[in-house]
């Protein structure tokens, strides 16, 4: 079984980015969504992006942006992946995938078996679906686990990843329950909203490798 990919999301500082890269993250996430405590400006995201080695993918995270600002954000940051974390339609994401060079991910709030069926509207329109807990005060980054049993023995038709309330303490169980090929964590690796804890980033990556 290939190693589980690791996305550390909501990074705002060079120190946190460097720590995630050094700890073995395969993806680092930059949130451009002003209501989030992890929001980074496009200028800061571009600076952080430039310090990431080619071996690690940079994911720019957007929420319900219109086409023109989406293009401006992608041009400014030049990520490897764009993750849409709002109510973006399959048609819009298929257009982004067709017209740009970016890997396209769709975050999907997983509530029940029906929501697992509903996400199939994005099949062949995105590169990966990131299953997360349903939106709460924020569309994501809420620190709430989803029901992993929904994914036990599920036959996935779209490349996927697991997010939602993952921590160094629960990620081994999450991987063993779901066999997620990628895990994503944000608030569970923080000492305060938006403040990443370097030791927790390191512990999370170590736990994933031991799963
Ligand atoms: O992280 C945020 O603040 C955020 C805000 C708005 C939309 C998405 C956001 N995060 C996206 C992610 O991919 C998070 O890593 C994911 O939702 C898991 O977050 P957490 O439950 O805090 O680990």
């Amino acid at each position: 079984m290939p190693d589980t990919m690791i996305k550390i999301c909501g990074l705002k500082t060079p120190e946190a980015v460097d720590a995630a890269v050094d700890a073995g993250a395969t993806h680092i996430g930059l949130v451009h969504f002003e209501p989030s405590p992890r929001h980074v400006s496009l200028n800061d995201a571009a600076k952080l992006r430039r310090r990431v080695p080619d071996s690690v993918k940079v994911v720019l995270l957007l929420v319900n942006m219109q086409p023109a600002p989406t293009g401006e954000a992608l041009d400014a940051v030049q990520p490897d992946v764009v993750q849409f974390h709002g109510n973006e339609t399959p048609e819009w994401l298929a257009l982004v995938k067709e017209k740009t060079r970016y890997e396209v991910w769709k975050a999907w709030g997983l509530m029940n078996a029906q929501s697992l069926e509903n996400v199939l509207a994005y099949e062949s329109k995105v590169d990966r679906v990131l299953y997360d807990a349903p939106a709460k005060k924020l569309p994501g980054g809420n620190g709430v686990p989803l029901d992993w049993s929904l994914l036990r023995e599920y036959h996935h038709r779209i490349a996927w990843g697991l997010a939602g309330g993952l921590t160094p303490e629960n990620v081994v169980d999450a991987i063993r329950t779901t066999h997620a090929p990628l895990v994503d964590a944000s608030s569970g690796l923080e000492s305060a909203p938006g403040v990443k804890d370097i030791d927790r980033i390191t512990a999370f990556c170590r736990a994933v490798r031991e799963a």
Side-chain angles (χ1 to χ4, degrees):
M1 183 170 165
D3 291 346
T4 306
M5 292 175 277
I6 304 170
K7 175 179 169 241
I8 306 298
C9 195
L11 299 168
K12 294 172 60 175
T13 66
E15 295 76 16
V17 168
D18 294 352
V21 170
D22 294 345
T26 57
H27 298 71
I28 66 113
L30 304 175
V31 175
H32 182 65
F33 181 65
E34 289 191 11
S36 166
R38 298 162 199 100
H39 169 76
V40 287
S41 69
L42 294 180
N43 189 42
D44 287 347
K47 287 179 187 169
L48 292 171
R49 192 267 178 280
R50 288 194 289 269
R51 63 185 306 118
V52 179
D54 291 346
S55 57
V56 177
K57 288 190 174 182
V58 173
V59 183
L60 179 64
L61 201 138
L62 305 175
V63 179
N64 292 332
M65 286 183 97
Q66 293 301 307
T70 298
E72 290 158 13
L74 291 171
D75 290 346
V77 181
Q78 298 287 316
D80 300 290
V81 181
V82 51
Q83 175 181 319
F84 293 97
H85 215 110
N87 304 316
E88 299 87 357
T89 66
E91 292 72 25
W92 166 228
L93 271 50
L95 192 62
V96 174
K97 183 170 161 56
E98 179 193 346
K99 301 294 186 186
T100 75
R101 62 172 181 76
Y102 301 105
E103 203 176 314
V104 176
W105 294 7
K106 179 70 185 78
W108 190 255
L110 191 54
M111 286 168 279
N112 50 42
Q114 185 57 53
S115 57
L116 259 179
E117 287 303 306
N118 295 345
V119 77
L120 294 178
Y122 291 88
E123 186 175 7
S124 78
K125 296 183 171 64
V126 300
D127 294 290
R128 188 178 300 273
V129 170
L130 186 69
Y131 292 117
D132 197 352
K136 296 198 178 307
K137 63 182 188 311
L138 287 170
N142 295 299
V144 177
L146 60 84
D147 177 0
W148 301 333
S149 68
L150 290 169
L151 295 167
R152 192 197 308 269
E153 309 301 326
Y154 183 73
H155 296 288
H156 295 268
R157 288 164 47 178
I158 312 174
W160 67 288
L162 180 68
L166 295 180
T167 68
E169 295 77 21
N170 70 12
V171 70
V172 171
D173 188 18
I175 291 171
R176 290 178 180 170
T177 302
T178 67
H179 302 293
L182 179 146
V183 291
D184 168 317
S186 188
S187 57
L189 308 180
E190 295 178 347
S191 54
V195 182
K196 285 295 187 282
D197 179 317
I198 305 300
D199 292 339
R200 288 188 68 74
I201 290 174
T202 303
F204 183 81
C205 293
R206 183 184 306 119
V208 172
R209 282 193 296 275
E210 292 167 1

